[in-house]
Amino acid sequence: MTEPAPQADFLSGVSGSVFGIRATSKALVADALADARAIARAQPWRLRRAARSWPRRRVLALGVERAGEPNLLADARQELLRSKHDVRFDSTTVGERGKFENLNALLARNPPQGHDWLLVLDDDVSLPRGFLDSFIFLVERFGLRMAQPAHRARSHAAWQLTRRRPGSLVRETAYVEIGPVVALHATTFPVLLPFPELRAGWGLDAHWAALAREHGWPLGIVDATAIRHGLRRIAAAYDRTDAVAEGTRFLSGKPYLNASESQRTLVTHRTWT
């Protein structure tokens, strides 16, 4: 087993997992209050109505699943294909390759050119009804070039920045995660694709944050389409020590934002009108 480098300033330092009666109960209450606030403002219905008038886009959606284990990828696929947008969905099982090695294999048989967005998702994500239409509408309405949906309170999320903020629709941030769901606009493809041949990919999002700053790409988190990331503990399928060591090697000599630099909300949008 590879020993990790002593410095890992690109990590949050917490697991973000929500397990146990106390933590789960607290998260359920927080989610219920946030949902009630949105419903009281008729936000879901108003948002879906606004999204219906937005132009149709071509979206390439790719997922990697663990064969023989419970997962939610089939449900996510069904939800994405309900969208008004032209969605091409493909997935593969993990096998002997890492996440980004598998994603590059999927890109090889699904060239991203000609698509407006690339959506990458893990196999343990629950998407809200009408997710993609509302998500695309909001990220384009605010000119984002890399974006992720926020995490619900009961979702496993290592960064507090990525958890849903009640009353917010979209936050422009200095950082977005590599998963469990991330969207890349076509303008980023020449720089970001193909992905580095990484297994876990820890540290890649810190590098993306630096590249976004260099190229002037707005990044953001969509609170209005919050997801739940669950089923398994984070890093349950690979060795955390190896993942940290891989990330440290990958970032060596590359620009990246450390945790204190990256975890910033720059602008909060509370209405799209």
Side-chain angles (χ1 to χ4, degrees), residues 57-88:
R57 304 302 188 199
R58 295 191 65 199
V59 179
L60 175 60
L62 303 178
V64 180
E65 66 178 316
R66 293 174 178 83
E69 295 187 30
N71 70 70
L72 302 173
L73 195 60
D75 292 341
R77 176 183 182 276
Q78 185 176 16
E79 173 57 40
L80 293 175
L81 294 180
R82 274 198 289 261
S83 168
K84 62 174 270 186
H85 297 293
D86 179 6
V87 178
R88 178 180 178 85

Side-chain angles (χ1 to χ4, degrees), residues 135 144-149 159 161-162 171-179 181-184 192 203-209 212 218-222 257 262-264:
F135 182 77
L144 304 182
R145 290 298 174 260
M146 299 170 63
Q148 69 171 97
W159 300 99
L161 176 76
T162 66
R171 283 173 289 131
E172 295 180 41
T173 58
Y175 168 96
V176 295
E177 298 173 291
I178 56 172
V181 180
V182 64
L184 309 179
L192 302 185
L204 178 56
D205 33 26
H207 179 51
W208 281 357
L219 311 183
I221 297 170
V222 182
L257 298 192
S262 65
Q263 300 305 297
R264 295 177 293 128

Side-chain angles (χ1 to χ4, degrees), residues 64-67 92-98 102 199:
V64 180
E65 66 178 316
R66 293 174 178 83
T92 186
T93 54
V94 173
E96 297 300 318
R97 294 179 293 204
N102 273 309
R199 297 191 63 80

Side-chain angles (χ1 to χ4, degrees), residues 2-267:
T2 306
E3 290 297 322
Q7 182 176 347
D9 61 354
F10 56 92
L11 299 177
S12 69
V14 299
S15 72
S17 297
V18 182
F19 285 107
I21 294 175
R22 180 181 236 173
T24 299
S25 299
K26 183 179 178 180
L28 286 171
V29 170
D31 280 331
L33 290 174
D35 291 342
R37 179 172 180 171
I39 290 170
R41 300 172 59 199
Q43 179 181 290
W45 298 277
R46 292 173 54 239
L47 186 53
R48 283 198 284 268
R49 185 170 64 245
R52 281 198 295 269
S53 65
W54 202 252
R56 194 165 183 252
R57 304 302 188 199
R58 295 191 65 199
V59 179
L60 175 60
L62 303 178
V64 180
E65 66 178 316
R66 293 174 178 83
E69 295 187 30
N71 70 70
L72 302 173
L73 195 60
D75 292 341
R77 176 183 182 276
Q78 185 176 16
E79 173 57 40
L80 293 175
L81 294 180
R82 274 198 289 261
S83 168
K84 62 174 270 186
H85 297 293
D86 179 6
V87 178
R88 178 180 178 85
F89 184 98
D90 197 7
S91 64
T92 186
T93 54
V94 173
E96 297 300 318
R97 294 179 293 204
K99 175 177 178 177
F100 290 92
E101 295 166 332
N102 273 309
L103 288 172
N104 281 337
L106 288 171
L107 287 171
R109 72 188 192 204
N110 299 278
Q113 290 74 23
H115 292 87
D116 300 293
W117 288 94
L118 170 63
L119 187 75
V120 175
L121 64 159
D122 291 350
D123 69 349
D124 56 349
V125 176
S126 178
L127 303 177
R129 183 78 179 204
F131 165 76
L132 191 61
D133 291 356
S134 296
F135 182 77
I136 293 293
F137 165 66
L138 288 172
V139 297
E140 293 197 354
R141 168 65 182 80
F142 294 106
L144 304 182
R145 290 298 174 260
M146 299 170 63
Q148 69 171 97
H151 288 269
R152 294 173 66 84
R154 200 182 167 202
S155 182
H156 302 334
W159 300 99
Q160 192 60 35
L161 176 76
T162 66
R163 292 200 181 274
R164 174 168 58 170
R165 308 285 173 86
S168 167
L169 285 173
V170 175
R171 283 173 289 131
E172 295 180 41
T173 58
Y175 168 96
V176 295
E177 298 173 291
I178 56 172
V181 180
V182 64
L184 309 179
H185 188 264
T187 55
T188 72
F189 294 173
V191 177
L192 302 185
L193 302 181
F195 297 114
E197 292 283 322
L198 299 173
R199 297 191 63 80
W202 289 17
L204 178 56
D205 33 26
H207 179 51
W208 281 357
L211 291 177
R213 185 168 64 180
E214 176 185 335
H215 290 275
W217 298 331
L219 311 183
I221 297 170
V222 182
D223 292 302
T225 59
I227 60 162
R228 185 185 171 207
H229 179 216
L231 289 186
R232 295 181 292 269
R233 293 183 184 272
I234 296 172
Y238 51 87
D239 186 273
R240 185 185 186 280
T241 300
D242 289 344
V244 174
E246 179 189 61
T248 302
R249 289 193 303 272
F250 170 72
L251 291 175
S252 178
K254 294 183 178 67
Y256 70 94
L257 298 192
N258 63 35
S260 61
E261 292 178 296
S262 65
Q263 300 305 297
R264 295 177 293 128
T265 291
L266 309 176
V267 182

